[in-house]
Amino acid sequence: MSALLDLGDWIRATLARGLHLDAGLLACLESTFGTPDPQVLLADMESGESASFLELIFFPDRATKHAYEVRWGLHAFSAASARDLAELLVRDPVAATLHMPGRNAPLRLMMPDFALRAFVQRLNIAWQPPRMLLEALDRHLDDVHRPPVRAILRHARLPWQPQQVELLDLFLFKTAPAADEFESDLTFLCGLLEEFAPDQDPFDFLMSKKRFYFQALCKAQAFDRRLRAGNMEILMLQGARAAHGDVAQWRSWMGQVDRISTALFGGTRYFQEPLAVDLLLDE
């Protein structure tokens, strides 16, 4: 119980110092709620929009995840410990500070119980790496780089089947944790691993993901060409769909696959754009 009390104090202090809302989250607020200003949404704390907003913003940010891993990551908390921690925190009011780009002064508010419980759940304190994964981390990472990697893996929500661990092991062996793209590529790879089947060749698996992104890129480019040549309302009446994604995003994901594949396997594959790409729009 002493460890839980200490962790509860640490969470209170962390929330009091503040979470940082980045520009991407504020853009999400604007697209979801029609405003990027949290004070507008919090003007009526009883509204459904305010509750949804609080659910959205109270995720541990990158700095909090890293700090948790350094201080508490090796402690073997259980699922029951997480429930007890939430109950411990909601006994007394908890003040939180929100730092936002473009604002000189932070926003301070008292956290409702449901937001506190969600924050504890999202910390995922009961997670511990399986032995194979722990051995890979110890084998490839020093004390400085292990906590940020563990923080990413803690929030990956993967079952860590043997083939997933083996591919991660290879990634840690072949890539430099001090590289600029390391954390971004690791997070990206973890997002793919849920689909990695035991009988798949790892290179073929990565290339299947690249092909999927390539086909989506072709659809997005074709739709953009049709949109520039025509009219959105007419296209919609013709049954064209706008949900083909962002060209730059598909290119970025293809680039990440290429970077990971080249680092792990020494190369990648390239696909030729189909001539009748417009036909893909109706699939």
Side-chain angles (χ1 to χ4, degrees), residues 89-245:
L89 285 169
V90 300
R91 291 177 188 172
D92 298 303
V94 174
T97 302
L98 300 176
H99 300 277
M100 290 159 285
R103 291 179 61 98
N104 294 326
L107 179 65
R108 293 183 174 85
L109 69 156
M110 304 306 296
M111 286 183 66
D113 290 356
F114 72 86
L116 268 175
R117 296 181 194 276
F119 187 84
V120 170
Q121 180 183 22
R122 290 159 180 165
L123 272 178
N124 199 19
I125 68 172
W127 181 82
Q128 289 295 319
R131 179 174 295 277
M132 282 181 62
L133 185 57
L134 184 60
E135 290 172 352
L137 298 177
D138 290 340
R139 185 162 52 247
H140 299 301
L141 299 170
D142 58 25
D143 292 342
V144 173
H145 295 104
R146 199 174 297 119
V149 170
R150 282 180 59 109
I152 292 171
L153 303 185
R154 179 180 297 277
H155 297 277
R157 306 287 182 171
L158 286 166
W160 293 113
Q161 301 294 338
Q163 78 278 4
Q164 296 170 330
V165 176
E166 289 169 7
L167 186 51
L168 179 69
D169 189 306
L170 182 62
F171 177 87
L172 296 177
F173 174 62
K174 293 279 191 173
T175 58
D180 291 341
E181 303 90 357
F182 176 83
E183 290 192 21
S184 173
D185 286 348
L186 175 60
T187 302
F188 179 77
L189 179 62
C190 287
L192 302 182
L193 285 178
E194 185 177 0
E195 301 175 44
F196 184 30
D199 57 348
Q200 276 186 293
D201 175 82
F203 178 76
D204 289 342
F205 166 69
L206 290 175
M207 291 305 100
S208 71
K209 296 304 300 180
K210 181 181 178 181
R211 178 176 289 279
F212 173 81
Y213 299 143
F214 175 71
Q215 291 174 336
L217 171 66
C218 290
K219 294 179 182 181
Q221 288 176 322
F223 187 82
D224 284 351
R225 287 195 295 270
R226 292 178 66 183
L227 183 59
R228 288 195 298 271
N231 177 281
M232 172 61 81
E233 288 76 12
I234 294 175
L235 287 176
M236 297 303 289
L237 288 173
Q238 291 173 343
R241 293 171 297 163
H244 295 296

